[in-house]
Amino acid sequence: MRKIAAYWRDRYWKDRGLAFKLIWINLVLIAVPLLLSSLLSGIGYSKSTQRNVGTYQADAVREFSANLDIYMNELALLTTLPYQTPDLLDYLERRDAEQSTLYEERKLLEDFMRRIRVNGRVDTIGITLQAEKVRSYVEPPDSPGRFTEGYDPDLSAFLSQASSGLAVFVRPHAVLSDNGSTYEVFSAVRVIRSLESGEPLAILKIDVPANDLNERIANLSGSGERSVAVLDGKGTPIYENGNFPDSTGNLGAYRGEGTVTLGSGRSAVLMTYVTSPVTGWTVLQAVPLSVLLKDAETVNRQMLLVGLVCLAASIFVSVLYSLRITRPLSVLRRSMKRVEKGEFGLSIPVESEDEIGHLSRTFNLMVSRLGSLTYRLYETEIREKNAEIASLQSQINPHFLYNTLGSISMYAELEGNREVVSMTNHLSALLRYSMGGGRSEVTIREEIEHIRGYLAIQSIRYEERLRYKIEARPGLLEQPIIRLTLQPVVENAIVHGLERGSGEVAIGIAISAENGQVFIAVEDNGPGMDDEALRRQNAKMEEGLLPDGPGGHGLVNVHRRLALKYGRGFGVRLERSASGGIRANIMLPRAAEEESEEGREGHG
């Protein structure tokens, strides 16, 4: 995330003008709150509308379920008429069976069937009375009543369901009349029991046209945008109109009362379900959320339109305001570019008293002062040129010295004096190296070659009293080092070992690397120093204090140059050597690994 932000800043923000940045900031500060408020308001209004419509829908489904229960209660009451007809109960229990005739029995059953048809507000089209002890009687739809000896197994299937004595409602099904016509009906079934013994006497089934039920349910659908379904107690559809995007795949799982949202996106629907305590049927109504939120979407579009108009107005004001601020700054920037080209006589108008006006006045003052300073700078440059010419002339003397040393070496060669030839050649090389050629940093290899020449001159001077040895780890000779770092350290070892001591002195130079650092150790076997003297010398080098007198400046200068160049932790540190002399440790940062492989080098 941080890399993305850095890329966006460098690519699209860093090089943009101030006007662009002001416009962008204003747009963010205005557009983001405006869009967020519009979005949150729209979401809140949509949810509120959904809750209100869901409540209204639940009330409508409950009202429909209550009306359906009233209708079904009317039908259930018709199934209790046998208990209000003592003659029918006597007939079903076969009382006075020998005294009644077939005509009387038929008349009794027809009267009972007529009572069912004329009682209540339910339009019945078929009645079946299947008795256990006497002959059964049936009135099929659009057919006269008749006795039947047949046993209807479909009615026996409801015996266990109606064992509680309550009416059982049968989902719409087809029945066949005697004239061959088929009718779609739904039924109410009740088991008629003896009032004395409680044993089953008959099963009464009353058939009602299925259209009556379908029309009542269809009224709940209203327009074609709502989907309605009625399920029986087993979850089998009794009536279904429309589509239900049920995520569970089983609408029968919804029992009781509640409201759920099914599906997602544009196909989501709000479904309300209520289970009737009378029939055990579940009424479900689903309305697409797109229909429910149609008004909310209209309001949201209007709010969005108002927001866009406000955003356009804010953009216009932001652009106008930003250009008003940045126009004087653009004039100031162009004027500064002209000043860069050397035009010091210009002046910009001051149009306001704010910060920009103050900046314009300061710019005019600065340009006027620059004009006066230009002449002084020109005079200074002339003086520097004259000084540079004088410096170039002073370089004639070193060249004269090189030529003089060359002449001495030539005459010594003619006389056969090899020592003088060697010393003059080494001295000439040391002089050229000391002059530097404009370089402040060299490689360790170049510094070692310079030390070899210096030690060669000292070996001629002290003859057999001076021995030296140089060792280097492979690949370290190409590491950078400040020019003339080793000579003051080696010179200090010679001064303390030979000039202030007696006998022979051995000087060893070892170059190694460890933990990302390069270590150069210069060790001698001279008389050395006591612990207090070592501590004072290290403290002087660390503090950069030059000692009194003509000597002792070399080590301090070398340490300060290294510390200033490479940082704290690098430089020179003195300690006792194993041979009793002084060991000077020079610490440098290690550069990248070199490809070349250098073996150990030695000279003694």
Side-chain angles (χ1 to χ4, degrees):
M1 190 66 184
R2 187 177 300 173
K3 292 182 178 178
I4 296 176
Y7 173 80
W8 185 89
R9 182 181 65 252
D10 295 338
R11 179 73 181 273
Y12 299 102
W13 183 263
K14 186 176 180 180
D15 297 331
R16 300 291 182 178
L18 180 60
F20 170 82
K21 295 178 180 178
L22 288 176
I23 293 172
W24 179 253
I25 290 174
N26 289 333
L27 288 181
V28 170
L29 294 179
I30 296 174
V32 172
L34 184 62
L35 293 178
L36 281 178
S37 61
S38 300
L39 180 62
L40 294 177
S41 299
I43 293 175
Y45 181 74
S46 298
K47 290 184 176 180
S48 176
T49 302
Q50 182 175 339
R51 286 194 301 268
N52 294 335
V53 174
T55 303
Y56 169 77
Q57 179 176 321
D59 293 340
V61 173
R62 281 193 292 268
E63 183 179 357
F64 169 78
S65 180
N67 292 334
L68 184 62
D69 288 346
I70 293 174
Y71 177 78
M72 302 304 283
N73 277 327
E74 291 281 347
L75 183 57
L77 286 175
L78 290 179
T79 61
T80 62
L81 280 179
Y83 295 108
Q84 303 173 22
T85 310
D87 292 343
L88 180 62
L89 291 178
D90 291 341
Y91 169 74
L92 294 178
E93 292 185 359
R94 299 190 65 177
R95 295 174 181 170
D96 303 326
E98 294 82 3
Q99 299 178 3
S100 61
T101 63
L102 181 61
Y103 171 78
E104 292 174 341
E105 293 176 356
R106 183 181 182 89
K107 186 176 184 303
L108 174 64
L109 293 172
E110 287 178 350
D111 291 341
F112 173 72
M113 298 297 178
R114 190 177 301 109
R115 287 185 61 192
I116 292 178
R117 292 183 184 278
V118 299
N119 278 278
R121 292 172 292 177
V122 179
D123 185 15
T124 60
I125 63 172
I127 304 172
T128 301
L129 182 65
Q130 182 172 297
E132 295 287 338
K133 301 178 180 180
V134 296
R135 286 179 296 179
S136 301
Y137 191 82
V138 60
E139 282 190 2
D142 198 20
S143 302
R146 56 180 170 79
F147 286 103
T148 176
E149 301 292 341
Y151 184 77
D152 190 350
D154 294 337
L155 289 178
S156 300
F158 301 102
L159 185 61
S160 60
Q161 299 181 36
S163 60
S164 62
L166 300 176
V168 175
F169 299 96
V170 183
R171 59 190 303 273
H173 57 283
V175 295
L176 187 65
S177 67
D178 290 344
N179 59 12
S181 300
T182 302
Y183 292 84
E184 190 73 17
V185 301
F186 75 96
S187 307
V189 179
R190 184 187 293 271
V191 176
I192 307 301
R193 298 179 179 274
S194 172
L195 296 177
E196 299 175 358
S197 63
E199 61 178 345
L201 299 177
I203 299 177
L204 175 62
K205 183 182 78 165
I206 301 176
D207 298 326
V208 180
N211 288 336
D212 291 353
L213 179 63
N214 293 338
E215 289 176 1
R216 290 175 180 271
I217 299 175
N219 291 333
L220 181 62
S221 300
S223 61
E225 297 171 338
R226 290 177 170 84
S227 299
V228 177
V230 179
L231 310 179
D232 62 12
K234 297 180 179 179
T236 306
I238 297 174
Y239 176 90
E240 188 170 3
N241 177 24
N243 298 322
F244 287 84
D246 183 19
S247 59
T248 63
N250 181 16
L251 290 176
Y254 297 102
R255 303 285 295 174
E257 182 176 338
T259 301
V260 295
T261 301
L262 302 179
S264 59
R266 302 293 300 178
S267 61
V269 299
L270 187 68
M271 188 183 76
T272 301
Y273 57 93
V274 175
T275 300
S276 170
V278 176
T279 62
W281 294 354
T282 301
V283 180
L284 304 98
Q285 184 187 56
V287 183
L289 287 179
S290 58
V291 175
L292 297 177
L293 303 179
K294 184 182 298 183
D295 295 337
E297 291 179 354
T298 302
V299 174
N300 289 340
R301 283 194 295 269
Q302 293 174 351
M303 293 178 61
L304 180 61
L305 180 60
V306 173
L308 291 177
V309 171
C310 295
L311 181 60
S314 66
I315 291 175
F316 175 75
V317 174
S318 176
V319 171
L320 185 64
Y321 182 72
S322 299
L323 293 179
R324 184 179 179 86
I325 293 177
T326 57
R327 188 179 294 110
L329 295 178
S330 299
V331 174
L332 181 61
R333 184 188 61 182
R334 290 193 296 269
S335 301
M336 292 179 69
K337 289 185 177 180
R338 293 173 61 186
V339 172
E340 289 178 0
K341 295 178 181 179
E343 299 182 23
F344 299 105
L346 56 87
S347 176
I348 59 176
V350 180
E351 299 178 352
S352 62
E353 297 297 328
D354 55 8
E355 287 81 0
I356 297 178
H358 179 71
L359 185 62
S360 300
R361 285 193 296 272
T362 304
F363 173 79
N364 292 335
L365 179 62
M366 179 192 69
V367 171
S368 64
R369 291 181 178 178
L370 282 176
S372 62
L373 291 176
T374 302
Y375 181 74
R376 299 180 184 177
L377 180 62
Y378 177 72
E379 289 183 343
T380 302
E381 289 181 352
I382 292 177
R383 293 192 184 98
E384 290 180 353
K385 290 293 184 182
N386 293 333
E388 184 177 354
I389 292 173
S391 176
L392 291 175
Q393 290 176 349
S394 66
Q395 293 182 6
I396 297 175
N397 294 331
H399 289 291
F400 173 76
L401 183 59
Y402 298 152
N403 294 333
T404 302
L405 289 174
S407 299
I408 295 174
S409 176
M410 181 182 65
Y411 283 115
E413 182 75 24
L414 293 176
E415 294 295 329
N417 193 334
R418 301 299 303 168
E419 289 80 1
V420 175
V421 171
S422 178
M423 290 186 70
T424 54
N425 288 338
H426 285 304
L427 182 59
S428 178
L430 292 179
L431 182 61
R432 292 180 184 275
Y433 187 82
S434 300
M435 296 300 295
R439 293 190 303 160
S440 63
E441 197 173 57
V442 296
T443 63
I444 294 180
R445 182 189 301 279
E446 294 176 292
E447 188 75 1
I448 290 298
E449 291 301 323
H450 171 68
I451 290 301
R452 289 184 188 279
Y454 174 76
L455 290 175
I457 294 176
Q458 295 293 352
S459 296
I460 295 174
R461 176 184 176 187
Y462 293 105
E463 297 180 348
E464 299 299 328
R465 294 180 59 196
L466 174 63
R467 293 182 294 107
Y468 65 90
K469 183 178 182 181
I470 301 175
E471 295 181 341
R473 286 268 303 275
L476 297 180
L477 294 180
E478 303 304 323
Q479 296 288 318
I481 189 174
I482 296 178
R483 187 170 55 86
L484 295 177
T485 295
L486 293 180
Q487 181 179 338
V489 180
V490 174
E491 183 178 355
N492 185 75
I494 293 175
V495 169
H496 286 82
L498 288 174
E499 296 182 0
R500 299 182 184 179
S502 61
E504 296 182 355
V505 172
I507 297 177
I509 301 176
I511 305 172
S512 61
E514 183 179 354
N515 297 329
Q517 293 183 351
V518 176
F519 296 92
I520 303 177
V522 180
E523 184 177 353
D524 65 73
N525 62 347
M529 302 169 65
D530 57 27
D531 293 339
E532 181 61 23
L534 278 175
R535 186 191 65 77
R536 288 197 303 269
Q537 183 61 34
N538 285 325
K540 290 178 181 179
M541 291 190 298
E542 189 66 31
E543 297 174 3
L545 299 177
L546 295 177
D548 297 331
H553 297 73
L555 291 179
V556 175
N557 287 335
V558 170
H559 175 77
R560 296 305 298 167
R561 287 166 63 202
L562 293 176
L564 292 174
K565 175 71 175 179
Y566 303 118
R568 296 181 61 87
F570 300 100
V572 182
R573 188 75 179 174
L574 301 180
E575 62 182 21
R576 286 171 175 258
S577 66
S579 60
I582 300 298
R583 177 187 176 97
N585 294 314
I586 302 174
M587 291 161 286
L588 307 170
R590 187 171 184 179
E593 294 290 340
E594 300 291 339
E595 297 292 336
S596 60
E597 292 289 337
E598 297 292 340
R600 291 183 178 271
E601 298 186 5
H603 180 77

